[in-house]
C-alpha cells in the first residue's frame, strides 16, 4: 500500500474510509515503516475517548 506513488510522494497513512465505523472498532494495516510494523486505526466515540483520557492508570502508559 505504501509503495503506491501517484505523483504526490509516498503515502503518509492508510485509512479504511468512512463506512462501517463504530465505537471500539480497531483495524490493522501493514505499517508504513515496513519490517513487520503495524499501523492501527482505532475508532472511539467522544465519550469513550473522554473516559480513557480520565483513566489515570491507562494514561500512565501512554507516550505523548
Amino acid at each position: 500500500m505504501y509503495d503506491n506513488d501517484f505523483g504526490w510522494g509516498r503515502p503518509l497513512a492508510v485509512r479504511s474510509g468512512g463506512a462501517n465505523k463504530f465505537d471500539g472498532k480497531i483495524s490493522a494495516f501493514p505499517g508504513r515503516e515496513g519490517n513487520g510494523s503495524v499501523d492501527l486505526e482505532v475508532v472511539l466515540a467522544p465519550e469513550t475517548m473522554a473516559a480513557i483520557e480520565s483513566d489515570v492508570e491507562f494514561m500512565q502508559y501512554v507516550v505523548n
Side-chain angles (χ1 to χ4, degrees):
M1 289 185 242
Y2 287 104
D3 292 331
N4 295 323
D5 185 342
F6 299 102
W8 301 304
R10 190 169 179 227
L12 298 176
V14 174
R15 296 204 172 86
S16 63
N20 198 26
K21 302 279 184 173
F22 54 87
D23 187 40
K25 180 178 181 182
I26 300 173
S27 301
F29 302 98
R32 184 175 193 265
E33 302 302 319
N35 299 322
S37 66
V38 177
D39 290 344
L40 297 176
E41 177 185 54
V42 180
V43 180
L44 298 174
E47 306 81 39
T48 304
M49 190 66 202
I52 289 173
E53 289 174 331
S54 66
D55 184 325
V56 176
E57 184 179 5
F58 177 82
M59 292 304 289
Q60 74 183 1
Y61 296 103
V62 176
V63 178
N64 292 331

